[in-house]
C-alpha cells in the first residue's frame, strides 16, 4: 500500500469508478424522463387515432369506403392503420404490399356501440335529422341567439342545435323569447326514432317479471340527447342499452380490430432495462473501468520511473559512486533530478579537491622532510658536520614545515567553519604600516599611501591577509621594481590595495590564483615561491571579515590585489567575537 504506484493506481481507479457511476446515474435519469415523455406522447397519439376511427365507425354503416379517411388519419399521425374483422380478414389497411404482417394482438377493438361499455355519442342512427329539419331548427336557434346575447348554439351529434352558455343562469332568460317552444319540439324524424326505441324498450321490459311500476316510470326521458332510464334498476337500464344497440346496429360499421404500427413496420426501439440491459451496462462500465485502470497504470509507471531512477542513483551515491546521474525529463521530477545531478557534481568536485589536497599536502611535506632526513643521515654517517650552518639549514626546513602546517590548519579551520576571529576597533593604517615595515627589502621600493581609517577587525588575521599579498608582490617583483600599498575609503568600504610592477599573471591564470596549491610557475619550490596556499587563506580571512578580495593583472606589467572591507558604523560595531569561517 505504501508504493506510490499502487496508491496512484488505486486513486485513479476509484475516481474513474465514481465518475462512471455518477455519469450512468445521470444518463439513466435523463433517459427515463425522455422515455416516459415519449411513451406518454405515443399513448396520446394512439388515443386520438382510436377516437377518429370510432367516429368513422359511428357515422358509417360499413368499412367499405373507409380507406381514404383512414389514409388521411394515418398520414396525419404517421402510423399505419389496419382493421380486421373477427376472423382476421382485412377490412382496411393503410400499409401497402411491402408492409410487414400485422402483429398478433390488436391495439384495440373498435365498436361504436361499446366504447368502454358506453355507446359512442356520435352514433345517432335514425335520430339524424334531415337537412330540412336541421335548417328549420337552426333558424329558430339563431332567432333565440339574437334575443339573448348570452346564448350560444351548439350542434348535438344528430344535427339538432342546442343552447349553451358560458354563464350559468343566463339560459332561463330565453323564456322571454318567443321561439323557445318551437326549438324544443321534436321533429318527425326524432318522433319516429323515439317511437321505435320505445317499442324496443317496452318489448324488453315486458320480459322482466313484476317490475311494472318501474316499467311505467321508465319511459324514455327525452332530453334531446341522453337517452336513458334514470334511476332505473339494473335490469331496466340493461333493457335501455340493448334497445339502443338494437336500434343503432344497422347504422354503424361492424366491430373491428384496430392495429397501429409504425409506417415502416419497425416498432420504435424501447430501452430494455431488464437483466440483459443491466448486464450490458455493467459490462460496458467494467470495460471503461479497465481502460481507465490501464491508462492510469501507464501514467503512474511513467511518473514513478524517474523517482525509481532517482532512488537508485541516490543509493549508488551513498555507496560512494560519484558518477550516478539521472535523466528526469521535464516538470517537477525533472527539477528534482537536475538538483540531484548538481549535488552529485558538487560532491564529485569536493571529492576531487580533497584528493588533490591530500596529494598536494604530501607533495609539499616531502621536500623539506626529505631535506631534513638527508642532512641528518649524512651527519650520522659522518659525511657532514653538525656545524651552525647545518643547524641553520635544518631550522629553516623545519620552519618551512611549521608554516605549511600552520597554513593548512588555518584552511582546515576555515573549511570547518571554526576560524576564530577576535575583532576589535583598529586603525587600519597601523596594520598597513606594520606589514610594510616587516616586508621592507633593499632591492624593491616598497611604500605605503595611507588615508587614516578606523574599523572593527581582527588585527592579527588582517595583518596575515595583507601580509600574504605584500609578500607575493615583493616575491614576484624583480629587483628595481616598485610595490605600493594604498589605504583609502570608497563607497563606505575600506580598500587595501597592493600594486606591484612585477611579473603579472597571465589572463587565463587569473581565475586560479585563489585556488589552493595553485602556482603559476609549477617549478618554483616552496623556498623560492610559496606553498600556493597564501591567497586561498587571504580570501578566507577577508571573507570572514565580511569583505572581498580581487585581482587585476597584466603579464609582465604588474598586478593589483584589492581587499575591500565594510566600514563598521558607530552603532553596529563590527564583527561579533565568534567563529567566522566559510566552507569552500
Ligand atoms: P604562493 O605561496 O605560491 O605565492 P599564493 O597562493 O600566494 O601562493 O599565490 C598563488 C600563485 O599566484 C603564485 O604561485 C603566483 O604564481 C601567483 N601570484 C600571486 N601573487 C602574485 C603577484 N603579485 N604577481 C604575480 N603572480 C602572483
Amino acid at each position: 500500500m505504501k508504493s506510490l504506484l499502487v496508491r496512484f493506481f488505486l486513486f485513479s481507479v476509484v475516481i474513474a469508478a465514481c465518475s462512471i457511476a455518477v455519469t450512468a446515474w445521470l444518463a439513466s435519469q435523463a433517459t427515463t424522463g425522455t422515455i416516459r415523455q415519449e411513451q406518454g406522447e405515443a399513448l396520446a397519439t394512439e388515443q386520438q387515432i382510436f377516437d377518429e376511427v370510432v367516429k368513422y365507425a359511428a357515422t358509417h354503416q360499413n368499412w367499405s369506403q373507409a380507406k381514404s379517411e383512414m389514409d388521411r388519419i394515418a398520414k396525419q399521425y404517421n402510423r399505419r392503420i389496419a382493421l380486421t374483422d373477427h376472423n382476421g380478414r382485412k377490412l382496411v389497411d393503410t400499409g401497402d404490399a411491402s408492409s410487414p404482417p400485422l402483429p398478433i394482438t390488436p391495439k384495440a377493438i373498435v365498436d361504436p356501440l361499446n366504447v368502454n361499455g358506453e355507446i359512442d355519442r356520435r352514433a345517432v342512427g335514425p335520430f339524424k335529422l334531415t337537412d330540412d329539419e336541421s335548417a328549420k331548427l337552426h333558424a329558430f336557434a339563431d332567432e333565440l341567439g339574437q334575443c339573448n346575447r348570452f346564448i350560444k348554439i351548439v350542434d348535438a351529434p344528430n344535427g339538432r342545435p342546442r343552447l349553451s352558455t358560458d354563464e350559468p343562469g343566463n339560459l332561463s332568460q330565453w323564456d322571454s323569447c318567443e321561439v323557445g317552444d318551437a326549438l324544443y319540439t321534436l321533429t318527425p324524424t326524432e318522433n319516429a326514432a323515439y317511437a321505435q326505441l320505445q317499442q324496443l324498450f317496452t318489448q324488453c321490459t315486458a320480459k322482466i317479471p313484476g317490475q311494472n311500476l318501474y316499467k311505467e316510470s321508465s319511459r324514455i326521458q327525452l332530453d334531446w340527447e341522453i337517452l336513458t332510464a334514470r334511476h332505473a334498476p339494473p335490469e331496466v337500464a340493461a333493457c335501455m342499452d340493448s334497445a339502443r344497440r338494437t336500434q343503432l346496429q344497422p347504422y354503424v360499421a361492424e366491430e373491428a380490430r384496430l392495429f397501429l404500427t409504425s409506417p415502416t413496420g419497425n416498432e420504435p426501439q424501447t430501452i430494455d432495462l431488464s437483466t440483459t440491459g443491466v448486464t450490458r451496462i455493467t459490462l460496458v462500465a467494467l470495460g471503461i473501468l479497465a481502460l481507465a485502470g490501464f491508462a492510469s497504470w501507464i501514467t503512474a509507471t511513467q511518473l514513478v520511473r524517474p523517482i525509481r531512477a532517482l532512488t537508485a542513483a541516490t543509493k549508488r551515491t551513498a555507496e560512494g559512486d560519484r558518477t550516478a546521474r539521472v535523466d528526469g525529463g521535464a516538470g517537477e521530477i525533472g527539477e528534482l533530478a537536475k538538483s540531484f545531478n548538481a549535488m552529485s557534481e558538487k560532491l564529485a568536485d569536493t571529492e576531487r579537491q580533497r584528493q588533490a589536497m591530500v596529494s598536494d599536502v604530501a607533495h609539499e611535506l616531502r621536500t623539506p622532510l626529505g631535506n631534513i632526513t638527508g642532512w641528518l643521515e649524512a651527519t650520522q654517517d659522518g659525511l657532514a658536520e653538525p656545524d651552525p650552518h647545518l643547524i641553520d639549514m635544518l631550522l629553516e626546513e623545519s620552519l618551512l614545515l611549521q608554516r605549511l602546517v600552520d597554513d593548512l590548519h588555518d584552511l582546515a579551520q576555515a573549511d570547518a567553519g571554526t576560524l576564530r576571529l577576535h575583532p576589535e576597533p583598529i586603525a587600519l593604517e597601523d596594520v598597513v604600516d606594520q606589514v610594510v615595515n616587516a616586508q621592507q627589502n633593499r632591492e624593491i621600493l616598497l611604500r605605503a599611501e595611507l588615508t587614516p581609517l578606523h574599523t572593527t577587525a581582527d588585527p592579527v588575521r588582517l595583518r596575515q591577509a595583507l601580509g600574504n599579498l605584500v609578500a607575493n608582490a615583493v616575491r614576484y617583483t624583480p629587483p628595481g621594481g616598485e610595490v605600493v600599498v594604498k589605504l583609502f575609503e570608497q563607497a563606505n568600504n575600506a580598500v587595501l590595495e597592493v600594486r606591484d610592477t612585477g611579473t603579472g599573471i597571465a589572463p587565463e591564470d587569473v581565475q586560479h590564483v585563489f585556488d589552493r596549491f595553485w602556482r603559476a610557475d609549477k617549478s618554483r619550490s616552496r623556498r623560492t615561491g610559496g606553498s600556493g596556499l597564501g591567497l586561498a587563506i587571504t580570501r578566507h580571512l577577508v571573507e570572514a571579515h565580511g569583505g572581498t578580495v580581487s585581482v587585476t593583472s597584466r603579464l609582465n606589467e604588474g598586478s593589483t590585489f584589492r581587499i575591500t572591507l565594510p566600514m563598521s558604523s558607530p552603532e553596529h560595531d563590527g564583527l561579533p567575537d565568534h567563529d567566522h569561517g566559510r566552507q569552500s
Side-chain angles (χ1 to χ4, degrees), residues 60-78:
H60 294 79
Q61 288 180 333
N62 54 52
W63 296 101
S64 56
Q65 309 297 319
K67 176 83 164 98
S68 62
E69 175 66 0
M70 292 304 125
D71 278 340
R72 181 191 67 74
I73 301 171
K75 203 170 158 213
Q76 181 182 349
Y77 296 102
N78 191 29

Side-chain angles (χ1 to χ4, degrees), residues 441-461:
N441 179 313
R442 256 181 254 143
E443 294 167 340
I444 287 162
L445 177 58
L446 173 58
R447 58 188 180 84
E449 291 177 13
L450 305 174
T451 312
L453 282 178
H454 288 79
T455 188
T456 303
D458 182 331
V460 179
R461 292 303 195 180

Side-chain angles (χ1 to χ4, degrees), residues 529-546:
S531 63
L533 291 176
L535 286 180
I537 290 172
T538 296
R539 190 177 68 177
H540 273 298
L541 291 176
V542 171
E543 286 179 353
H545 279 88

Side-chain angles (χ1 to χ4, degrees), residues 39 137 154:
Q39 281 176 343
L137 287 178
V154 184

Side-chain angles (χ1 to χ4, degrees), residues 194-395:
Y194 279 123
Q196 186 194 9
L197 183 61
Q198 183 69 60
Q199 193 187 352
L200 288 168
F201 178 62
T202 319
Q203 274 169 17
C204 176
T205 49
K207 290 174 198 153
I208 306 172
Q211 293 280 354
N212 288 328
L213 184 64
Y214 265 117
K215 286 176 209 167
E216 199 49 36
S217 68
S218 297
R219 290 186 66 82
I220 293 168
Q221 308 285 314
L222 300 181
D223 60 357
W224 318 117
E225 191 174 359
I226 303 160
L227 304 158
T228 173
R230 282 185 189 140
H231 313 299
E235 308 91 298
V236 178
C239 268
M240 171 53 77
D241 261 7
S242 81
R244 288 191 63 203
R245 287 206 169 91
T246 315
Q247 186 186 25
L248 292 174
Q249 195 69 60
Y251 297 91
V252 299
E254 68 175 293
E255 184 185 311
R257 297 165 180 213
L258 173 66
F259 296 89
L260 295 177
T261 55
S262 71
T264 51
N266 303 328
E267 283 302 312
Q269 275 276 297
T270 49
I271 291 190
D272 181 14
L273 284 182
S274 59
T275 347
T276 39
V278 172
T279 318
R280 199 182 313 149
I281 290 172
T282 315
L283 282 179
V284 170
L286 284 178
I288 295 173
L289 203 60
L291 255 173
F294 180 68
S296 68
W297 183 264
I298 300 273
T299 317
T301 321
Q302 279 178 350
L303 194 76
V304 167
R305 193 178 300 141
I307 297 181
R308 285 194 173 146
L310 260 170
T311 314
T314 320
K315 272 188 193 147
R316 275 169 60 201
T317 307
E319 283 159 9
D321 180 359
R322 297 286 174 263
T323 60
R325 299 285 183 277
V326 196
D327 177 16
E332 288 89 343
I333 296 183
E335 286 299 309
L336 182 63
K338 270 189 209 140
S339 305
F340 173 82
N341 289 345
M343 186 192 78
S344 249
E345 201 83 51
K346 181 89 187 160
L347 219 58
D349 219 40
T350 312
E351 193 100 318
R352 264 195 303 277
Q353 272 182 13
R354 191 175 58 84
Q355 282 166 357
M357 173 118 174
V358 170
S359 97
D360 283 345
V361 169
H363 179 79
E364 293 298 324
L365 291 177
R366 189 174 298 128
T367 318
L369 275 178
N371 287 345
I372 292 171
T373 315
W375 285 116
L376 287 175
E377 278 174 357
T379 313
Q380 204 174 39
D381 295 349
L383 298 174
E385 284 295 314
D387 54 13
H389 176 66
L390 179 70
I391 289 174
D392 274 354
M393 282 198 302
L394 288 178
L395 190 64

